[in-house]
């Protein structure tokens, strides 16, 4: 076996061996600077290799079909964590968004999985969100729009991930019932030049006209956050506000904000 072969057979056992974990990166409301929600991101704690990042194993999981059980794990884990946070905070509508891969959308019964997860947990409607990229939905636009409409009906939110990296325009993705768009970090970080505010302003304006909220990805400096707020982005996510963290730390961050609110 070569190294990729080992990685594949290791990945096959990773779930059963409890090596897969979800971490949560805060998504900050720019008007209040409080945590609005989190993006759930997968991590693989490999017994010999150490921490393996999703950019390394998600493509392998997609190729082998292992993304189906891994994706379901992510969904169930994130939903149960979200439900417990909402319960503990007394129904504060914090949200969690979970990344969805092509195979999950195209070949598996995503609708039933969402239904099961939402029935099992008492989550506030639309606070469990699915993140999908435009290239993913454009692989099969007809099928995608049907599935997404049903998912939305069930009470899940929909976020358009990495917006701006594909070839579609916002008018193109308008046919899909997204409530949120996430602007790719390539438009957000990289502060040089005057082009950034122009592009961002037009994306934000169109998104708002279409009734969607905007999350800016990759906010790394105070200046980024200030500019994004001035441009009308509701939310930002990035190393400035926190790296992906354990569910325990994520809950602490939420509690902290609630206390601050209570004294405000
Ligand atoms: P993504 O969905 O666009 O997730 C955002 C990625 O950007 C995360 O990388 C995050 O750690 C990173 N990031 C956040 N803030 C900053 C910043 O300020 N600067 C920079 N340079 N990077 C930032 P991560 O966790 O390595 O995930 C990479 C990709 O792997 C994700 O991109 C997503 O496409 C995929 N992925 C992660 N977890 C899952 C999962 O559970 N299921 C699926 N299907 N894909 C996943
Ligand atoms: Mg994402
Ligand atoms: Mg993204």
């Amino acid at each position: 076996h070569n190294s990729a072969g080992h990685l594949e057979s290791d990945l096959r056992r990773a779930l059963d061996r409890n090596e897969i974990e979800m971490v949560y990166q805060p998504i900050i409301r720019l008007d209040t600077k409080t945590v609005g929600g989190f993006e759930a991101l997968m991590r693989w704690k490999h017994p010999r290799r150490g921490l393996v990042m999703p950019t390394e194993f998600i493509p392998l999981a997609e190729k082998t079909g292992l993304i189906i059980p891994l994706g379901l794990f992510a969904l169930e884990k994130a939903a149960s964590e979200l439900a417990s946070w909402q319960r503990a905070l007394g129904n504060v509508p914090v949200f969690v968004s979970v990344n969805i891969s092509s195979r999950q959308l195209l070949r598996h019964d995503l609708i039933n999985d969402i239904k099961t997860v939402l029935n099992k947990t008492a989550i506030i409607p639309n606070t469990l969100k699915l993140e999908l990229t435009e290239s993913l939905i454009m692989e099969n636009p007809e099928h995608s729009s049907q599935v997404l409409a049903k998912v939305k009906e069930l009470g899940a939110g929909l976020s358009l991930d990495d917006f701006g990296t594909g070839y579609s325009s916002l008018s193109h993705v308008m046919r899909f019932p997204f409530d949120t768009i996430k602007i790719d970090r390539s438009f957000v970080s990289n502060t040089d030049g005057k082009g950034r505010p122009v592009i961002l302003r037009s994306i934000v304006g169109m998104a708002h006209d279409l009734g969607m909220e905007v999350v800016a990805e990759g906010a790394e400096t105070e200046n980024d956050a200030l500019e994004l707020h001035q441009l009308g982005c509701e939310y930002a996510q990035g190393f400035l506000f926190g790296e992906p963290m354990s569910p325990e730390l994520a809950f602490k961050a939420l509690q902290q904000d609630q206390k601050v609110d209570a004294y405000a």
Side-chain angles (χ1 to χ4, degrees), residues 50-111:
L51 188 64
V52 187
M53 297 300 277
T55 44
E56 217 177 312
F57 69 87
I58 293 287
L60 182 64
E62 287 172 339
K63 208 177 67 195
T64 54
L66 289 169
I67 193 65
I68 298 297
L70 286 170
L72 189 57
F73 172 82
L75 208 53
E76 287 177 338
K77 194 82 183 164
S80 85
E81 228 103 59
L82 176 63
S84 84
W85 295 338
Q86 290 182 347
R87 225 180 303 124
L89 296 172
N91 275 332
V92 175
V94 51
F95 60 85
V96 167
S97 60
V98 182
N99 293 287
I100 299 293
S101 280
S102 161
R103 281 228 196 176
Q104 290 175 276
L105 185 65
L106 295 179
R107 292 185 243 279
H108 193 72
D109 200 354
L110 184 68
I111 297 163

Side-chain angles (χ1 to χ4, degrees), residues 58 123 202 213 261:
I58 293 287
I123 288 171
S202 77
E213 292 197 302
D261 276 359

Side-chain angles (χ1 to χ4, degrees), residues 3 79 82 90 104 108 121 154 161 179 187 204 206 208 219 232 245 247:
S3 149
L82 176 63
Q104 290 175 276
H108 193 72
T121 48
L154 290 172
D161 204 359
D179 47 76
F187 296 94
V204 171
M206 278 191 283
H208 287 170
M245 57 184 85

Side-chain angles (χ1 to χ4, degrees), residues 59-262:
L60 182 64
E62 287 172 339
K63 208 177 67 195
T64 54
L66 289 169
I67 193 65
I68 298 297
L70 286 170
L72 189 57
F73 172 82
L75 208 53
E76 287 177 338
K77 194 82 183 164
S80 85
E81 228 103 59
L82 176 63
S84 84
W85 295 338
Q86 290 182 347
R87 225 180 303 124
L89 296 172
N91 275 332
V92 175
V94 51
F95 60 85
V96 167
S97 60
V98 182
N99 293 287
I100 299 293
S101 280
S102 161
R103 281 228 196 176
Q104 290 175 276
L105 185 65
L106 295 179
R107 292 185 243 279
H108 193 72
D109 200 354
L110 184 68
I111 297 163
N112 265 328
D113 291 346
I114 304 287
K115 203 186 278 175
T116 308
V117 162
L118 289 177
N119 282 342
K120 236 185 329 204
T121 48
I123 288 171
I124 299 170
N126 302 315
T127 58
L128 180 67
K129 298 177 184 249
L130 308 188
E131 279 194 15
L132 308 104
T133 61
E134 47 183 316
S135 57
L136 189 168
I137 54 179
M138 290 308 167
E139 277 174 32
N140 192 337
E142 305 314 321
H143 178 76
S144 299
S145 85
Q146 282 175 19
V147 173
L148 296 187
K150 288 201 188 108
V151 163
K152 187 93 199 181
E153 245 177 59
L154 290 172
L158 293 173
S159 266
L160 181 60
D161 204 359
D162 303 344
F163 182 77
T165 56
Y167 295 98
S168 38
S169 60
L170 265 182
S171 63
H172 214 128
V173 298
M174 222 174 88
R175 315 186 259 150
F176 304 94
F178 287 101
D179 47 76
T180 306
I181 79 162
K182 299 186 74 171
I183 302 178
D184 189 69
R185 72 165 181 267
S186 56
F187 296 94
V188 175
S189 9
N190 235 329
T191 21
D192 58 330
K194 299 196 181 97
R196 173 169 84 158
V198 176
I199 294 167
L200 285 179
R201 191 173 294 117
S202 77
I203 298 178
V204 171
M206 278 191 283
H208 287 170
D209 287 346
L210 296 169
M212 297 187 278
E213 292 197 302
V214 179
V215 178
E217 302 188 275
E220 294 182 350
T221 66
E222 287 291 349
N223 186 56
D224 289 343
L226 186 66
E227 198 170 305
L228 292 165
H229 183 44
Q230 284 165 351
L231 289 169
C233 290
E234 282 84 7
Y235 299 97
Q237 173 182 357
F239 295 158
L240 171 66
F241 298 115
E243 299 200 9
M245 57 184 85
S246 70
E248 293 76 22
L249 285 177
F251 181 60
K252 277 199 185 127
L254 279 173
Q255 277 181 313
Q256 198 58 44
D257 279 357
Q258 296 303 308
K259 277 187 205 130
V260 172
D261 276 359

